[in-house]
Amino acid sequence: GLSQMEAKEVRETSKEPKAVEEDDSSKSEEESSYDEEESERRKVKCLDDIQYLEQQFCNLKELLYHEKIQEIEQKIQYLNEGSAPEYLQPVKELQQTLQDRLERTGLQTKCRVD
């Protein structure tokens, strides 16, 4: 076997791998380069995603605008035809009020005549 002194030298030399340190520094440079490339790749992807989302937003905004225009045009058409629901209900209520008043007036006039 090895003497105690030789065993100690083997342990110490195995603790100081100089070639590995060089490999570590080259790995560090490679990792740094990889990190930069990965970062740039992610940045480009994020920018592409943002551009896509902005385009989708513009498309949806345009679609919403056209739907709102159609809705307004439909309401105008209903109003012109006299068939708008928000128009018909108040008109119906006014007609009922008028009818009630005419009936009361007719009753009052009939009572005065009698």
Side-chain angles (χ1 to χ4, degrees):
L2 298 173
S3 70
Q4 285 184 343
M5 189 64 130
E6 291 172 331
K8 186 176 177 183
E9 285 180 14
V10 168
R11 276 184 260 140
E12 287 177 3
T13 56
S14 65
K15 288 182 183 176
E16 301 175 12
K18 292 184 181 178
V20 172
E21 286 179 7
E22 291 174 13
D23 286 347
D24 283 347
S25 66
S26 65
K27 280 184 182 178
S28 177
E29 289 174 14
E30 288 175 14
E31 287 174 2
S32 176
S33 175
Y34 174 77
D35 288 345
E36 289 174 15
E37 290 172 8
E38 180 66 16
S39 176
E40 185 64 27
R41 187 188 66 73
R42 284 182 170 178
K43 179 182 172 186
V44 168
K45 184 176 181 338
C46 286
L47 291 173
D48 288 345
D49 289 347
I50 288 171
Q51 185 178 16
Y52 174 77
L53 290 172
E54 286 175 342
Q55 184 62 45
Q56 291 299 316
F57 177 77
C58 287
N59 292 344
L60 290 173
K61 193 167 96 172
E62 186 74 19
L63 181 64
L64 182 62
Y65 172 79
H66 287 291
E67 287 177 356
K68 192 67 174 173
I69 292 293
Q70 287 177 338
E71 183 181 313
I72 291 170
E73 288 174 346
Q74 185 68 41
K75 284 184 178 184
I76 290 171
Q77 182 180 351
Y78 285 151
L79 287 171
N80 288 335
E81 294 171 354
S83 63
E86 60 269 7
Y87 168 77
L88 292 176
Q89 186 61 35
V91 168
K92 185 178 178 181
E93 290 171 6
L94 286 173
Q95 287 175 339
Q96 185 61 45
T97 303
L98 176 62
Q99 187 64 33
D100 292 346
R101 286 183 181 175
L102 288 174
E103 286 175 7
R104 273 188 269 138
T105 305
L107 286 175
Q108 288 175 353
T109 305
K110 186 176 181 181
C111 287
R112 287 186 190 157
V113 173
D114 289 341

